[in-house]
Amino acid sequence: CFNLGVKWHNGEGGPKDVRKARQMYDQACSGGNAEGCIGLGFMWGNGEGGPKDERKARELFEKACSGGDARGCSNLGRMWKDGEGGPKDERKAREIYEQACSGGSGLACSNLGVMWGNGQGGPKDEHKARELAEKACSGGEIRSCSNLGFMWAAGQGGPKDERKAREVYEQACSSGSALACWNLAFMWQKGEGGPKDERKARELFGQACSGGEFQSCSNLGVMWINGEGGPKDERKARELFGQACSGGD
C-alpha cells in the first residue's frame, strides 16, 4: 500500500491524487509500515489530501520512531524542538535526534550538531558539533558540509585549516548549496586556502545569487561596478542590487 500511495502522491503511472495517496499511506501505516506512517505524518502536517493536524502528524512520527525508523525519529525530534503539534522541549528533541542519528539519519546528525554547537537542550560543545557535522556531511547532508566548511575556516570546534574549508565548500557548492558557493567565492576572491582568482569568485557569487543567496547578489554587483574578475558594467550592478533588495538584502 505504501508504494501505491507514492504513485498516487507523485502522479507516477497515472493521475496524481493526494487524497487517495493519504488513504493508501493510512492503510500502510495501520498495517505496521513505518514509511507509510511517515508519509501520512507529512500529509497531516501539511494539510495535504485532507485536513491539517500537526498533533496527529506528531503522533504518526512517534509511531514510526517507536518502530525503529530513524527518519520518523528525525521528524519527531524537529517537532519537539519547534513545538509543533505539542509542547516544545529542546532536551527531548536532542535525545530523539541522538537516537535518529545513531540509526543512520544524516539529517538528524546535522540538526543534533547545531544543537550541540548552540547549547540547545543541553551543554554546548563545538568539538562535538564539528564531529556531527562531519558525520552528516559524509552521509550526504549538504547543509552540514557548508557548516563544516565554516568550522574549518574559523577554527571552530577544532583546528583551523582554510585549505580544508575550501575543499568542503567546493563539495557542498557542487551539490547545490548556494551558501557554500557564496563562502567559496570569498575564499577565491581573497586567496584564502588556495590561489586567488577574481574571475572564479565572480562566477561563484553569480551561482550563489541564482541559488537564492541575495547577499551574494550584492557582492556580485560590487564586482561589476569595480570591474573585478571581468568587465565593468554599472547597469548590470544596478540590476543585481535590485535583485538583492527584492530578496531582503
Side-chain angles (χ1 to χ4, degrees):
C1 291
F2 169 71
N3 290 326
L4 183 57
V6 171
K7 296 296 184 185
W8 279 108
H9 199 173
N10 297 333
E12 297 170 355
K16 179 174 180 173
D17 188 331
V18 291
R19 188 174 297 277
K20 185 69 174 176
R22 190 160 168 162
Q23 292 172 1
M24 293 297 101
Y25 287 149
D26 194 2
Q27 192 171 336
C29 179
S30 297
N33 184 296
E35 288 183 296
C37 296
I38 293 169
L40 185 59
F42 278 120
M43 297 193 87
W44 275 102
N46 297 328
E48 195 176 7
K52 178 175 180 175
D53 187 333
E54 290 184 346
R55 186 174 298 277
K56 180 68 175 176
R58 189 160 169 164
E59 290 174 0
L60 287 160
F61 290 140
E62 187 159 14
K63 182 176 180 179
C65 180
S66 298
D69 191 287
R71 196 160 67 100
C73 295
S74 182
N75 286 298
L76 179 61
R78 172 182 53 80
M79 298 193 88
W80 276 104
K81 179 180 175 292
D82 297 336
E84 294 177 7
K88 177 175 180 173
D89 187 333
E90 290 185 343
R91 187 172 297 277
K92 180 71 173 176
R94 194 158 164 165
E95 290 174 3
I96 295 173
Y97 278 146
E98 182 72 53
Q99 181 181 343
C101 178
S102 298
S105 169
L107 179 58
C109 295
S110 178
N111 290 330
L112 181 61
V114 172
M115 296 192 83
W116 274 101
N118 296 331
Q120 294 170 290
K124 179 175 180 175
D125 186 332
E126 291 182 346
H127 180 71
K128 180 69 173 176
R130 187 160 168 166
E131 288 178 352
L132 287 161
E134 190 155 14
K135 182 176 181 179
C137 177
S138 298
E141 285 296 325
I142 303 308
R143 186 184 63 148
S144 273
C145 296
S146 186
N147 291 339
L148 181 61
F150 174 80
M151 297 180 98
W152 277 108
Q156 192 175 28
K160 179 174 179 174
D161 187 331
E162 290 182 343
R163 187 172 297 277
K164 182 68 175 176
R166 195 160 168 163
E167 290 174 4
V168 177
Y169 281 145
E170 181 71 51
Q171 178 185 346
C173 177
S174 298
S175 298
S177 169
L179 177 59
C181 295
W182 183 41
N183 286 320
L184 183 60
F186 280 116
M187 300 195 86
W188 278 101
Q189 187 182 38
K190 298 173 183 177
E192 294 174 344
K196 178 175 179 174
D197 187 331
E198 290 183 343
R199 185 173 297 277
K200 181 69 174 176
R202 189 161 169 164
E203 290 175 5
L204 287 162
F205 281 134
Q207 193 172 335
C209 175
S210 298
E213 283 294 330
F214 294 108
Q215 285 178 287
S216 193
C217 302
S218 291
N219 298 126
L220 183 59
V222 171
M223 295 192 85
W224 277 99
I225 285 176
N226 296 330
E228 295 173 276
K232 181 175 180 176
D233 188 331
E234 292 193 354
R235 184 178 296 276
K236 179 67 175 176
R238 185 164 173 166
E239 290 175 5
L240 287 160
F241 291 145
Q243 190 174 343
C245 181
S246 298
D249 182 49

